[in-house]
Amino acid sequence: MNYQEAKAKLETLGQSHLLRWYDELGDMEQEALLSQIEALDPALLEVFKNYSSSGESVRGVIEPLGALTMEDIAENKEHFESAGLEAIRQGKVGAVLLAGGMGTRLGFDKPKGMFDIGVTHPLYIFECLIHNLMDVVDRAGTFVPLFIMTSEKNDEDTREFFEEQKYFGYNPEYVHFFVQDMAPAVDPSGQILLEEKGRIATSPNGNGGWFSSMVKAGYLGLLQREGIEWLNIFAVDNVLQRIADPCFIGATVLSGSESGAKVVAKADPQERVGVLCLEDGKPSIVEYYEMTDEMITRREPDGKLSYNYGVILNYLFRTDKLTEILNNSLPVHVVNKKVPYVDENGNLVKPTEPNAYKFETLVLDMIHLHESCLSYEVQRDYEFAPVKNPDGVDSVVTARELLKKNGVTI
Ligand code: UTP
């Protein structure tokens, strides 16, 4: 895109300020800015307009969805595990680590997986995850292909770290990196922000685009060639994450469901967690802030909360279904965050409070594109220790306690 074309596009979008410093930029910076402008998706600005006028999305008819409980799972453990291990040995299972997030709440300026959660010795978050995956590798006697999604902002650091740490003993031939897409940030009036005079403020566009980014990176061929039928998607920040868990895989495969989600029973009705339920008869996740009081407190005849099962960002998807829904669009979520920006005088401002809006699609919305999802209950203290904050809830402090409880020397 040349300058004139960029100017015309921005005029139509009401974003001409992005070229304010154009004449001051060097050739390379000018070119980079023009390609950022070319890549700007006008649809996101429309999303923001609708968001600022209505503020919320419209949901269908929501109903509770139970789960395969821990008791059900214990009764069938051997059966499920042997089916899962068989699928892994046949090379039918891959794992996808979502590590493209910015981890702003943690306030660590490197990729979150590089955070050292150890106390008496270094213990990196990535190391915990690989260690957990090695349990399965040892049992199955084969490595599980591991795809790692990074973003433009942390790709180099992440790759270098894995190299430096010799992949924590994992076989590098089974590790495949890919980079997710970015989206611009806007101020409350919908004006796109610049993070430098010649650079639009962008951030990773959420974890919902992971499969399309994988395909863009050319991995569909590999999935098909290797016969990888299932992908286990998981978050970087849960240090107790069980990855490619044979029991979960076996239970999902044998259930005939199109997808599977690990869930934990809510700690209390008000817990701020997305709940797996049915929406218009299909599986779906309702965020805690979308639930009415009636939904929050409703109970089943056995006394359990009707909307009881919170998701922990550990899902199983079928590759063929993912390919089928590849071009289906996901809802775009608008989130209020702190975004450094260059003001109209050319000064860099580092806000201390959320000042801008980012656009994200979320992997949890993919569940609703499936006809069925096995809701698979796991024990919170053994499988869920998210590191979102430095202290308080879901923090370094709580995760350390849970690691200790699980016998990990920290
Ligand atoms: P979070 O929703 O906790 O976001 O990500 P975050 O960016 O890591 O942290 P905050 O909100 O800025 O503090 C849940 C999972 O999704 C991944 C994260 O790396 C984490 O594993 N993620 C998130 C991506 O891979 N890409 C994204 O754009 C956002």
Side-chain angles (χ1 to χ4, degrees):
M1 173 171 271
N2 63 31
Y3 176 78
Q4 287 310 329
E5 288 163 340
K7 189 164 174 274
K9 177 172 180 179
L10 294 179
E11 269 164 17
T12 327
L13 299 175
Q15 304 285 343
S16 302
H17 63 285
L18 296 178
L19 288 170
R20 185 181 279 147
W21 317 101
Y22 187 80
D23 292 337
E24 286 184 20
L25 306 175
D27 288 352
M28 297 232 303
E29 286 171 311
Q30 287 186 336
E31 210 176 297
L33 180 59
L34 293 180
S35 41
Q36 273 196 309
I37 295 169
E38 183 172 16
L40 271 185
D41 179 3
L44 290 183
L45 298 171
E46 275 312 300
V47 167
F48 187 70
K49 263 191 216 150
N50 296 337
Y51 168 82
S52 16
S53 55
S54 78
E56 47 193 63
S57 56
V58 182
R59 303 296 299 232
V61 177
I62 307 288
E63 290 167 293
L65 175 66
L68 192 66
T69 63
M70 290 190 291
E71 294 77 53
D72 302 329
I73 295 165
E75 273 171 30
N76 294 286
K77 193 162 181 256
E78 271 177 41
H79 183 44
F80 290 159
E81 282 195 348
S82 70
L85 283 168
E86 189 52 27
I88 295 169
R89 288 190 186 114
Q90 290 174 346
K92 291 183 178 170
V93 183
V96 184
L97 164 55
L98 301 176
M102 298 282 277
T104 36
R105 281 169 287 174
L106 185 61
F108 177 60
D109 63 356
K110 292 277 174 197
K112 207 188 242 187
M114 287 174 64
F115 185 80
D116 178 5
I117 195 152
V119 178
T120 58
H121 66 105
L123 180 64
Y124 302 101
I125 292 183
F126 281 139
E127 186 176 3
C128 296
L129 298 175
I130 297 292
H131 184 253
N132 293 351
L133 182 54
M134 279 306 287
D135 283 351
V136 177
V137 169
D138 290 342
R139 287 185 68 194
T142 176
F143 279 91
V144 174
L146 173 64
F147 299 87
I148 302 180
M149 182 166 86
T150 61
S151 82
E152 239 174 51
K153 307 250 176 194
N154 67 15
D155 185 62
E156 211 181 308
D157 282 343
T158 306
R159 288 176 197 245
E160 275 176 20
F161 188 66
F162 269 91
E163 282 288 325
E164 226 173 80
Q165 300 292 334
K166 303 206 167 30
Y167 292 77
F168 299 103
Y170 212 72
N171 184 341
E173 281 171 30
Y174 285 80
V175 180
H176 311 281
F177 292 93
F178 63 101
V179 182
Q180 72 170 97
D181 288 336
M182 307 290 279
V186 298
D187 73 9
S189 66
Q191 294 287 288
I192 296 173
L193 296 170
L194 287 169
E195 63 189 12
E196 290 168 25
K197 287 182 174 176
R199 227 188 123 67
I200 293 176
T202 57
S203 54
N205 66 346
N207 54 30
W210 66 273
F211 190 65
S212 57
S213 297
M214 238 175 120
V215 171
K216 224 194 233 177
Y219 286 127
L220 193 53
L222 181 111
L223 295 175
Q224 286 166 344
R225 250 189 344 268
E226 300 283 320
I228 299 174
E229 292 179 8
W230 291 90
L231 288 171
N232 179 209
I233 317 312
F234 63 98
V236 69
D237 45 29
N238 174 7
V239 286
L240 291 181
Q241 191 82 261
R242 305 310 308 178
I243 304 150
D245 172 354
C247 198
F248 177 40
I249 295 165
T252 307
V253 172
L254 293 170
S255 73
S257 294
E258 279 188 350
S259 60
K262 283 200 169 185
V263 295
V264 290
K266 276 185 165 183
D268 70 80
Q270 305 293 340
E271 187 180 358
R272 296 171 148 222
V273 62
V275 170
L276 185 56
C277 56
L278 289 175
E279 178 178 359
D280 295 335
K282 285 170 66 175
S284 194
I285 290 152
V286 179
E287 287 290 1
Y288 65 91
Y289 51 81
E290 295 175 305
M291 289 180 60
T292 59
D293 285 344
E294 196 274 325
M295 287 168 77
I296 291 172
T297 51
R298 180 170 152 188
R299 290 189 186 266
E300 296 298 292
D302 64 4
K304 275 189 189 163
L305 290 172
S306 299
Y307 294 95
N308 192 31
Y309 296 107
V311 285
I312 58 169
L313 219 174
N314 189 318
Y315 302 105
L316 266 173
F317 292 115
R318 285 189 64 96
T319 316
D320 55 359
K321 181 72 185 185
L322 288 167
T323 314
E324 185 190 312
I325 60 176
L326 180 59
N327 296 318
N328 291 29
S329 55
L330 291 173
V332 178
H333 298 258
V334 181
V335 280
N336 194 204
K337 296 261 173 160
K338 286 185 262 184
V339 178
Y341 66 99
V342 173
D343 68 12
E344 61 274 20
N345 302 316
N347 300 318
L348 182 67
V349 181
K350 288 193 175 163
T352 50
E353 293 301 320
N355 62 314
Y357 294 87
K358 293 182 177 180
F359 302 95
E360 295 186 338
T361 59
L362 302 177
V363 61
L364 57 81
D365 287 318
M366 284 179 121
I367 290 289
H368 194 51
L369 300 177
H370 290 74
E371 293 304 318
S372 52
C373 178
L374 178 73
S375 176
Y376 178 99
E377 188 191 7
V378 298
Q379 190 162 347
R380 175 187 290 262
D381 282 6
Y382 295 158
E383 297 211 19
F384 191 44
V387 182
K388 300 284 184 195
N389 306 295
D391 42 42
V393 182
D394 296 342
S395 68
V396 175
V397 179
T398 53
R400 280 188 179 139
E401 282 310 309
L402 287 163
L403 280 169
K404 275 197 256 170
K405 190 166 176 180
N406 281 274
V408 180
T409 314
I410 58 166

